[in-house]
Amino acid sequence: MKLKEMFHQLKRKSKSAWNTFRNYEFINKVSTIWKTGKIQKTSRITYDVVWNIILVFLIIGFIGAFFVGGVGAGFFASLIKDEPVRSYADMKEDIYNYDETTKLYFADNIYLGDVQTDLYREETTLDKISPTLIQAVIATEDEYFNEHQGIVPKAIFRALYQEVSNSNMQSGGSTLTQQLIKNQILTDEVSFERKAKEILLALRLERFFEKDEILEAYLNIVPYGRNSSGGNIAGIQTAAQGIFGINADEVNLAQAAYLAGLPQSPSYYTPFKNNGGLKDEDGIKPGLNRMKIVLNRMLDMDYITKEEYEEAINYDVVADFKEEDKSPHKKYPILTREIQSRATDIIMYHLAEKDGHSKEDLEKDKELKKKYSALASKAIQSEGYKVHSTIDKKMYDAFQEIAANYQYYGNDKNTVVNKKTGETKLQSIQAAAVLIDNKTGRIISFLGNRNYSEENQTNYATAKRQIGSTAKPLAVYAPAMELGKVQPSTTIVDEPRSWGSWSPKNYGGGNYGTVTVRKALASSYNIPAVITYEKIISQDPASYLEKMGVTSLVEADHQNLSFALGASKNGISVEENINAYATFGNNGKFADGYMIDKITTADGDVVYEHETKPVDVFSPQTTYLTIDMMRDVINSGTGAYVKSRLKYGGVDWAGKTGTSQNYDDAWFIATNPNVTFGTWLGYEIPDSIYDSSSSLSYSQRTQNLWAQLINAASDINPELVAPSERFKQPDGIVSRSYCSISGDLASDLCQKAGLVKSDIYNSKYVPTKVDDSLIAGSQIVIAGKAVAAGSDTPKEFTLGNGLMFNPEWLERKGINNVSQLIPRTDTDKWQQIGAPKTRLASYKIENDGKAPLAPTSVNYKDNKLKWNKPDSSDIVGYRIYRKSNSDGNYKLVGNTSNTEFSVEDDNATYQVKAVDYFGLESSPSNEIVIGKDPKSADESESKKAKEEKEQKKKEEKKKEKQE
């Protein structure tokens, strides 16, 4: 207030007081007597004495005042002597250096929430604050704000008196300017020194800044209690949003008065509990009473009319309080924590780079990294960044809902956590999933946990697990094809094998004979994978995974054969494993997965923006061949179950299942031309998820979850997730026929055996050698298996145009047991191929010198003789004998290796004899008569002829009589 105006106001008040004083009756009487002069005359001596005394005291008082003032000034000077003289720039930096909460966003700029912090604040400007709200604040906190120069002396003296006198009455002595100084430059310390500095700086601040600037800064820093989620809030915009769910320029009079009253005691007046939700009626009442005080002050200062006051007093502001709103950390706990963590790392490297330190510097120096990590953690909570993630909100919400309601996880299990004490822990099967854009690495959505709780906060999408057979395309077959060691048609003998003390087994424990790489991958056979890995381990195939973003491998993982089956020391995270598969979907180029798309300052300046930098890993030819083999996984292999669960059936998916040791982890990962998606199931503490009581196998449960999640994602964005285009076959891919015995180009003998197949190849690695696994030779079939004919083996049972395995080929391949070559497909064709004598193995036939037993149950039906094979293991065939009448002799009429023989529909008797490998013949079987017995037929013919003769004689006699 200007000095002249203050003087006139004082004059008016003094005059009014004097007039009031004169109106008293006693005063009027005294005045009348005074006018007579009697009082003056009788009191002149007294008056002179008193006046001299008063004058003495006045002189002493003035001297004392000057002395006290001097002492006070000296004391004040001593209090502020260490306070530096601040420039405008320094004060501006300090005043506007208030924490602003970083905001998180889904993709497409959809607001997610604020980072987790101790205090939430959103900066605003004065033009975005309701004028009514500004008036309410001034009326409540600093009625002379627009007039004073930073301080109000009488308020300071009043506060000083209260402090010295230890008065219980407390009335604030601080202007808004002083409060701003206290919050932004000084501390909350209660001392004369701090107060003195506050006064000095307030006066200086008012010289540098306009009132609007000071007011705006104040309204952005002042605390306002808690929001509906229970979070601590500061700043008027944050308060309006957190308490009423509206912006600061949208509040009405009652709401403005309520907000303006909060800063005096934020935690006491706030309507919300510290864990969210409204307080009870008694808890809300103090804030409402405070609102009424604010309205009274606004009325006293003529900011509002009586009518507006009455309307606001009667307004139900409680009805406007925001309903309890789950904070993003309660609604999206895994997501907000993951985004905040990744953003903090980015800010850490950003701050270090500004100071001249590279990312490599931080990785080498742990203390340096720790320093910038702490700075980044503080910055992400206080600098008001805007963090834009890649996460699609609709897909993320859909994933969480499906996971929460999925019914086929499997049973809870008590897992032993301490073998010494036998202590157990009850566990539920956990789940994770990640959906990644192949070309950019953008993480579109993920599932981090099926049932997040205070006790279960793990993000399994980033947890390291054993990847099982999902390693086979990544570490075995794709690298082996890239190195030219195998192609899809390459054959491998799946037989029991050991590498030192390690003897891996296939699922179920069986072996499958000769299989192609394509078949081995589709059916996820373990032994062929290890055999293939052994061929390339010297060329460090594990390094291919590191090219594809895997960061957890150690040196031993590069050297152990067990890595072919996914066994590693530390495991590989779910995200990294799925991200690696996206390489196949991106034509062999790896795009590192990312969740943070962009980070800007509160003013919109870009601090960070992701840039995809693809890494060449596999050639287009290797990539396409791997994709084509993984199609078989879904079409006919271990992933076939998922095909029946897909809502969008025409999508070109290529995938792989995986199971770790002891069924601790189950995986299904698949890629299409746009995206890669994978799911994982397992217990937190690794334990078998195998459950024979479940209606679905552990693999089907994993695939079923995968299908439900991808179906939902496809519904939301079919163009991205369920594209109609297929993987394009690159140049350099050709189709060739091959012999399924050796994998070499088909020979005439292989064609004759019916074992020629076709497949696609990288044209650089098409086989040039013609198959030599077969030779022509005499052989014989025993018990359905072809063996080489012996010297005594009857020639009629040998296949003169037969086939045998080439002994040289067997020796070259190191095959001693021919029977182990035979696969479970085309078995009958393989069994027609003979084994050379030196390779008989399980076909070896011992001569016991005994003739075989005779065939049994010989019968005739449909012009065929049929019989049962006798119980003799060395029978090579049967001889069929016939006689035309009972007195005749049997004659050999045919032979066969089967247990049936075609005959004419005539009158004859047959017998069958079995013949063994050494030429010995069994005794005859039972006789079987076809048609009439030959002897009975002759007698019947003779009788008929005699009857016909006698009939002829009778007819001749009758004719003679008639003549």
Side-chain angles (χ1 to χ4, degrees):
M1 187 179 294
K2 295 181 180 179
L3 185 61
K4 186 176 180 181
E5 292 177 353
M6 291 179 64
F7 175 77
H8 285 300
Q9 185 176 356
L10 180 61
K11 184 178 179 181
R12 287 195 301 271
K13 289 182 178 180
S14 299
K15 185 176 181 181
S16 176
W18 175 249
N19 290 333
T20 302
F21 181 73
R22 288 177 59 189
N23 289 331
Y24 286 104
E25 182 178 351
F26 172 77
I27 297 301
N28 289 332
K29 289 181 180 180
V30 172
S31 177
T32 301
I33 297 172
W34 178 268
K35 290 177 179 179
T36 62
K38 294 180 180 179
I39 296 176
Q40 293 93 324
K41 187 176 181 179
T42 57
S43 62
R44 184 179 303 276
I45 297 174
T46 303
Y47 171 81
D48 291 337
V49 173
V50 171
W51 171 247
N52 288 329
I53 293 172
I54 291 173
L55 186 61
V56 171
F57 277 105
L58 284 174
I59 294 171
I60 293 173
F62 275 117
I63 294 173
F66 278 114
F67 176 77
V68 170
V71 172
F75 180 61
F76 184 84
S78 69
L79 293 176
I80 62 172
K81 63 182 177 62
D82 296 327
E83 178 62 25
V85 178
R86 298 173 187 264
S87 67
Y88 169 80
D90 290 338
M91 297 200 78
K92 181 177 181 181
E93 182 178 354
D94 288 337
I95 292 304
Y96 290 105
N97 183 29
Y98 42 77
D99 293 346
E100 184 176 357
T101 311
T102 292
K103 297 187 175 302
L104 309 178
Y105 295 85
F106 287 104
D108 301 321
N109 205 35
I110 298 174
Y111 180 61
L112 166 61
D114 295 341
V115 298
Q116 192 164 12
T117 181
D118 294 332
L119 183 68
Y120 297 93
R121 176 190 283 115
E122 178 182 356
E123 184 180 1
T124 189
T125 54
L126 211 58
D127 60 332
K128 295 180 181 178
I129 302 173
S130 165
T132 302
L133 181 51
I134 293 173
Q135 290 175 339
V137 170
I138 292 175
T140 307
E141 297 294 330
D142 190 351
E143 61 181 309
Y144 301 119
F145 175 74
N146 291 317
E147 288 80 25
H148 66 63
Q149 300 301 313
I151 62 171
V152 176
K154 69 175 183 179
I156 294 174
F157 286 121
R158 182 173 64 247
L160 181 63
Y161 170 77
Q162 291 170 354
E163 178 69 26
V164 172
S165 64
N166 198 24
S167 171
N168 290 328
M169 286 189 61
Q170 296 293 324
S171 59
S174 296
T175 62
L176 291 183
T177 312
Q178 289 174 271
Q179 293 182 52
L180 185 60
I181 293 295
K182 180 180 69 174
N183 280 280
Q184 294 302 97
I185 298 179
L186 302 176
T187 67
D188 288 332
E189 176 191 5
V190 178
S191 68
F192 287 116
E193 181 181 351
R194 198 273 298 164
K195 194 67 177 179
K197 290 180 179 180
E198 178 186 298
I199 293 169
L200 175 67
L201 291 174
L203 292 169
R204 192 168 185 79
L205 185 68
E206 290 273 355
R207 287 180 55 200
F208 286 143
F209 294 90
E210 299 294 332
K211 288 290 185 179
D212 283 354
E213 292 178 296
I214 295 171
L215 183 60
E216 181 180 293
Y218 171 82
L219 289 172
N220 275 306
I221 63 98
V222 67
Y224 282 93
R226 286 185 290 270
N227 59 21
S228 63
S229 301
N232 292 320
I233 55 177
I236 195 63
Q237 169 65 12
T238 310
Q241 278 287 350
I243 294 173
F244 296 115
I246 57 178
N247 292 320
D249 61 355
E250 299 172 332
V251 297
N252 60 33
L253 175 57
Q255 294 166 341
Y258 190 89
L259 292 174
L262 291 172
Q264 187 186 63
S265 182
S267 60
Y268 180 57
Y269 292 136
T270 182
F272 299 113
K273 296 179 288 188
N274 57 11
N275 60 348
L278 277 174
K279 295 178 179 177
D280 57 24
E281 186 176 346
D282 290 339
I284 294 174
K285 189 176 294 183
L288 298 178
N289 291 336
R290 175 66 177 165
M291 179 190 75
K292 294 174 182 178
I293 294 173
V294 175
L295 289 170
N296 273 312
R297 291 184 179 178
M298 292 180 74
L299 180 63
D300 290 342
M301 292 186 68
D302 295 328
Y303 284 147
I304 58 175
T305 65
K306 186 66 174 178
E307 291 75 15
E308 289 173 325
Y309 169 81
E310 292 295 337
E311 183 179 354
I313 283 289
N314 295 311
Y315 183 82
D316 186 9
V317 75
V318 175
D320 290 343
F321 288 151
K322 192 175 179 181
E323 291 185 5
E324 182 177 1
D325 184 20
K326 280 190 175 182
S327 70
H329 314 287
K330 293 180 181 178
K331 188 175 182 180
Y332 297 105
I334 297 288
L335 178 60
T336 52
R337 194 173 64 195
E338 192 63 33
I339 293 176
Q340 183 168 341
S341 173
R342 296 186 188 217
T344 302
D345 284 346
I346 291 171
I347 295 299
M348 175 181 69
Y349 294 121
H350 170 71
L351 294 176
E353 186 178 346
K354 286 175 63 177
D355 292 344
H357 302 293
S358 67
K359 185 175 182 179
E360 290 72 23
D361 293 338
L362 265 62
E363 298 306 322
K364 292 177 183 177
D365 190 334
K366 291 183 178 180
E367 287 302 315
L368 188 65
K369 186 173 184 179
K370 184 178 179 181
K371 169 188 172 182
Y372 281 99
S373 177
L375 291 173
S377 295
K378 181 179 180 181
I380 204 71
Q381 295 183 46
S382 61
E383 294 297 324
Y385 294 114
K386 293 183 178 180
V387 180
H388 296 267
S389 78
T390 62
I391 302 301
D392 184 293
K393 183 180 187 301
K394 289 183 179 179
M395 288 191 195
Y396 188 84
D397 288 343
F399 278 20
Q400 313 318 304
E401 182 178 357
I402 289 170
N405 296 300
Y406 187 62
Q407 298 178 351
Y408 303 104
Y409 288 112
N411 295 324
D412 293 352
K413 188 172 189 177
N414 276 305
T415 297
V416 176
V417 294
N418 189 320
K419 293 182 179 180
K420 292 183 178 180
T421 63
E423 179 187 355
T424 62
K425 178 182 179 180
L426 183 64
Q427 297 194 97
S428 298
I429 291 179
Q430 297 300 327
V434 181
L435 178 64
I436 298 180
D437 183 286
N438 296 334
K439 293 178 177 58
T440 64
R442 175 171 59 100
I443 298 175
I444 303 164
S445 184
F446 74 97
L447 171 66
N449 191 310
R450 64 169 277 210
N451 52 0
Y452 178 91
S453 66
E454 290 299 319
E455 297 76 28
N456 177 26
Q457 300 183 25
T458 303
N459 179 5
Y460 292 96
T462 58
K464 296 178 178 64
R465 305 293 299 202
Q466 297 300 317
I467 65 173
S469 292
T470 59
K472 291 171 183 174
L474 299 171
V476 182
Y477 295 120
M481 288 192 291
E482 187 73 10
L483 296 169
K485 299 299 183 181
V486 300
Q487 288 290 284
S489 65
T490 300
T491 57
I492 303 169
V493 180
D494 177 25
E495 59 181 342
R497 290 284 300 271
S498 294
W499 287 267
S501 60
W502 186 47
S503 301
K505 300 290 190 297
N506 292 318
Y507 176 79
N511 294 98
Y512 299 90
T514 302
V515 296
T516 62
V517 164
R518 179 181 291 277
K519 175 63 177 175
L521 179 61
S523 298
S524 201
Y525 299 149
N526 289 336
I527 294 172
V530 180
I531 291 172
T532 303
Y533 196 70
E534 186 179 30
K535 293 179 181 180
I536 61 173
I537 192 168
S538 62
Q539 293 170 279
D540 194 16
S543 64
Y544 281 91
L545 276 86
E546 292 177 327
K547 287 183 181 180
M548 293 182 279
V550 173
T551 59
S552 56
L553 300 187
V554 298
E555 185 60 33
D557 297 328
H558 291 258
Q559 301 169 0
N560 293 336
L561 281 173
S562 59
F563 191 65
L565 306 182
S568 60
K569 182 177 180 181
N570 299 320
I572 296 172
S573 77
V574 175
E575 180 186 327
E576 287 185 348
N577 195 21
I578 296 168
N579 194 186
Y581 267 80
T583 306
F584 298 126
N586 193 31
N587 203 31
K589 298 178 184 296
F590 170 72
D592 199 10
Y594 69 99
M595 195 178 293
I596 307 301
D597 187 46
K598 183 170 66 174
I599 300 176
T600 67
T601 65
D603 296 328
D605 296 330
V606 176
V607 173
Y608 164 86
E609 189 164 14
H610 179 79
E611 180 183 355
T612 298
K613 298 178 181 179
V615 177
D616 290 330
V617 181
F618 300 117
S619 68
Q621 292 76 28
T622 293
T623 302
Y624 186 78
L625 293 175
T626 307
I627 286 290
D628 196 56
M629 291 195 298
M630 291 197 299
R631 284 169 172 156
D632 287 357
V633 173
I634 294 175
N635 291 330
S636 59
T638 55
Y641 177 79
V642 81
K643 192 173 183 180
S644 65
R645 315 304 300 174
L646 287 173
K647 184 176 180 180
Y648 295 76
V651 181
D652 191 9
W653 286 106
K656 185 67 187 76
T657 57
T659 309
S660 67
Q661 186 81 1
N662 302 320
Y663 308 102
D664 288 349
D665 305 271
W667 298 78
F668 183 70
I669 307 173
T671 186
N672 70 33
N674 284 354
V675 298
T676 297
F677 182 57
T679 51
W680 164 88
L681 292 183
Y683 291 106
E684 179 183 10
I685 301 170
D687 204 344
S688 174
I689 64 172
Y690 185 90
D691 184 2
S692 59
S693 66
S694 176
S695 59
L696 298 178
S697 70
Y698 69 92
S699 184
Q700 289 173 331
R701 284 180 264 146
T702 309
Q703 293 176 48
N704 194 6
L705 177 61
W706 185 94
Q708 288 193 29
L709 293 170
I710 207 65
N711 285 342
S714 299
D715 285 340
I716 294 167
N717 192 342
E719 291 185 3
L720 174 67
V721 183
S724 57
E725 64 269 20
R726 296 179 63 80
F727 287 106
K728 295 179 181 178
Q729 180 174 303
D731 294 337
I733 297 293
V734 296
S735 179
R736 293 288 186 272
S737 295
Y738 69 95
C739 181
S740 58
I741 298 173
S742 63
D744 293 330
L745 296 177
S747 65
D748 291 339
L749 293 180
C750 190
Q751 183 74 44
K752 184 177 179 180
L755 294 174
V756 175
K757 299 184 183 300
S758 64
D759 210 329
I760 56 175
Y761 297 80
N762 182 336
S763 59
K764 291 171 58 177
Y765 302 115
V766 171
T768 57
K769 183 181 178 183
V770 178
D771 173 69
D772 64 345
S773 64
L774 300 176
I775 57 174
S778 297
Q779 62 182 26
I780 199 161
V781 176
I782 298 179
K785 298 180 175 64
V787 297
S791 57
D792 297 324
T793 303
K795 301 300 181 185
E796 68 266 31
F797 297 111
T798 61
L799 304 176
N801 195 29
L803 299 172
M804 296 179 62
F805 289 109
N806 183 350
E808 294 182 2
W809 181 82
L810 293 172
E811 184 174 356
R812 190 166 68 243
K813 295 294 183 180
I815 298 170
N816 295 311
N817 190 341
V818 173
S819 65
Q820 291 182 342
L821 286 174
I822 301 176
R824 298 189 182 185
T825 56
D826 293 328
T827 303
D828 57 333
K829 295 177 182 178
W830 282 74
Q831 288 179 341
Q832 299 301 315
I833 302 172
K837 293 180 181 179
T838 56
R839 299 276 173 172
L840 287 177
S842 61
Y843 296 156
K844 189 174 182 181
I845 302 170
E846 298 289 345
N847 186 359
D848 59 5
K850 297 179 181 179
L853 299 175
T856 60
S857 304
V858 180
N859 62 83
Y860 172 75
K861 185 178 182 181
D862 298 330
N863 295 328
K864 287 184 179 181
L865 291 175
K866 296 182 179 181
W867 59 89
N868 293 336
K869 179 182 178 297
D871 188 17
S872 298
S873 61
D874 56 357
I875 293 175
V876 295
Y878 305 90
R879 291 173 179 152
I880 292 85
Y881 294 89
R882 176 185 182 277
K883 65 179 179 178
S884 59
N885 58 66
S886 57
D887 294 331
N889 296 320
Y890 280 106
K891 295 180 180 180
L892 179 66
V893 295
N895 58 74
T896 181
S897 295
N898 299 317
T899 56
E900 61 182 31
F901 185 78
S902 297
V903 297
E904 298 177 0
D905 186 11
D906 59 357
N907 297 313
T909 302
Y910 292 88
Q911 283 184 332
V912 183
K913 295 182 180 180
V915 182
D916 69 12
Y917 181 79
F918 302 99
L920 299 177
E921 190 177 80
S922 72
S923 57
S925 67
N926 61 292
E927 292 183 339
I928 183 72
V929 177
I930 300 175
K932 296 182 179 179
D933 181 79
K935 184 176 180 181
S936 300
D938 290 343
E939 292 176 353
S940 177
E941 184 179 350
S942 175
K943 185 177 179 181
K944 184 178 181 182
K946 186 177 180 180
E947 288 177 349
E948 290 177 349
K949 188 177 181 181
E950 290 179 353
Q951 181 66 28
K952 187 176 181 182
K953 286 180 178 180
K954 287 181 180 180
E955 290 178 352
E956 287 177 352
K957 286 180 179 180
K958 185 177 181 181
K959 185 176 180 183
E960 289 176 356
K961 287 180 180 180
Q962 290 177 350
E963 291 178 350

